[in-house]
Amino acid sequence: MDLVVRNASLPDGRRQIDIAIDQGRIAAVGERLAVNAAREIDAEGDLVTPPFVDAHFHMDATLSYGLPRVNRSGTLLEGISLWGELKPELTQDALIERAMQYCDWAVARGLLAIRSHVDICDDRLLAVEALLEVRRRVAPYLDLQLVAFPQDGILRSPTALANLKRAIGMGVDVVGGIPHFERTMAEGAASVRLLCEFAAERGLRVDMHCDESDDPMSRHIETLAFETQRLGLQGRVAGSHLTSMHSMDNYYVSKLLPLIAESGVAAIANPLINITLQGRHDSYPKRRGMTRVPELLAAGVDVAFGHDCVMDPWYGLGSGDMLEVAHMGLHVAQMTGQEAMHQCFLAVTETPARILGLEDYGIAPGCHADLVLLDAGSTVEAIRLRAARRMVIRRGQVVSESPRSRATLHLPGRPAATAFRLER
Ligand code: FE2
């Protein structure tokens, strides 16, 4: 064996587990494995998880914060006008440089798979070319999946459809959309039909920005579920944001949830961004705006949490930490029950891995040897502490290390240090 990780706790609750790794894959998982390996890592009882997965991101805008100026008001509207000022000034080299830097942060956070939307409404397709290059460069250590995203509307923008087809032809993986931004409800529904038919024809996955609005009548998720079922796209379609569901009439939602479940459409909420941008037209009470996460889960729908933005015109915070995303999602959705907190951890690991269609993901014999050793004993503790990533392993190789979180104390009669963990 090349490597064995000993005495790990696993996300499913198993403890004192050894994980043997050979040639980049997991060879065996069990208690006290009798194997010799070139290298041994002692997890000391800490949590070892498959890598974090971000199901929703915008890598073409990331780390552009302050270019050409900061978003003073912190609002969506100023963010959109800022993006408009920045777009003509984007160069491919600068975009690649920022994306590569973000991928460094991601790896250090144990985030080894990202689905990024890329705006295809610029006729030069400069961002598409740049992110295809980034995908190629990071492939040894990070899976980057790209979505052709018509930011200005596939029907509303005159060149968007041709650009989307070109982007897919160049190697972009997934078909995107933004039905609530089309000119009318009918145009929005038509855009969903058109894009789903295109995806079905080409055998592609679909991930649309869908109903990112506080308007309870924004019901494009209904059309997305219907088209998914009609075209046999079950398990390959995701609705991102779905924030209008927060504001919808409860009776209508009682019809909608089973339709979504039946269609096999997954939901991707973006808690950091939804809690920031939704409800902005409200006085008080102010809506939270995140989609109905516990209710979707209870209906049997896959729900993942995405980061959406990090240091871009819309959001000046973030650092690629999916535990921060899970932490916010847990709070916004009030998912404080024991099982619910664990589900928030799955929403940034296993569930998005399934939505992206990642192959051989997990901790079982035959899976890729991609692992994260956390400075925490359980999934809930990992979220509570936004735990340090003691080690990040990709294909059996250690690609990043961080020290445990520990503070030295200078207090009379108290211990010399604390690690923020309950000693039992
Ligand atoms: Fe987004």
Side-chain angles (χ1 to χ4, degrees), residues 56-58 117 149 209 212 240-241 270 273 308-309:
H56 188 110
F57 195 61
H58 294 266
H117 295 253
F149 173 47
H209 282 67
E212 189 180 5
S240 279
H241 293 289
N270 298 291
I273 307 307
D308 205 1
C309 300

Side-chain angles (χ1 to χ4, degrees), residues 41-226:
I41 292 168
D42 184 2
E44 301 169 89
D46 278 354
L47 182 67
V48 174
T49 172
F52 296 104
V53 180
D54 185 357
H56 188 110
F57 195 61
H58 294 266
M59 205 175 277
D60 48 359
T62 197
L63 307 199
S64 65
Y65 185 73
L67 297 176
R69 57 184 178 83
V70 296
N71 183 336
R72 291 240 159 254
S73 63
T75 57
L76 174 63
L77 286 180
E78 189 175 344
I80 289 170
S81 66
L82 246 174
W83 181 235
E85 289 171 40
L86 178 61
K87 256 209 267 194
E89 305 199 353
L90 286 177
T91 70
Q92 217 169 67
D93 287 349
L95 209 150
I96 290 171
E97 188 54 39
R98 288 195 288 269
M100 292 300 294
Q101 188 183 355
Y102 183 74
C103 289
D104 294 343
W105 296 7
V107 169
R109 296 290 195 198
L111 168 56
L112 300 187
I114 299 174
R115 173 181 278 183
S116 174
H117 295 253
V118 50
D119 186 357
I120 53 88
C121 286
D122 158 32
D123 293 339
R124 300 170 299 168
L125 293 184
L126 183 141
V128 171
E129 276 181 14
L131 289 191
L132 285 169
E133 173 61 17
V134 171
R135 188 180 70 181
R136 192 187 61 74
R137 288 194 202 175
V138 301
Y141 53 87
L142 189 148
D143 296 306
L144 177 59
Q145 194 176 79
L146 297 176
V147 185
F149 173 47
Q151 171 92 63
D152 302 334
I154 200 78
L155 298 174
R156 191 165 168 175
S157 163
T159 54
L161 183 58
N163 288 354
L164 181 132
K165 288 180 175 173
R166 268 169 62 214
I168 295 292
M170 288 160 69
V172 169
D173 309 277
V174 179
V175 177
I178 187 162
H180 58 276
F181 191 74
E182 303 294 351
R183 286 193 175 89
T184 65
M185 289 292 172
E187 286 279 280
S191 80
V192 172
R193 189 173 317 118
L194 171 81
L195 290 163
C196 286
E197 283 176 354
F198 175 70
E201 238 169 66
R202 302 285 185 99
L204 299 170
R205 290 174 186 271
V206 176
D207 186 341
M208 289 191 195
H209 282 67
C210 193
D211 304 323
E212 189 180 5
S213 159
D214 291 329
D215 173 8
M217 296 312 291
S218 188
R219 293 177 171 188
H220 298 296
I221 177 60
E222 180 186 86
T223 310
L224 186 62
F226 173 76

Side-chain angles (χ1 to χ4, degrees), residues 49-53 348-351 353-354 358-363 367-368:
T49 172
F52 296 104
V53 180
V348 293
T349 50
E350 268 180 31
T351 310
R354 201 157 52 238
L358 296 182
E359 283 174 8
D360 302 329
Y361 174 95
I363 300 183
C367 290
H368 289 303

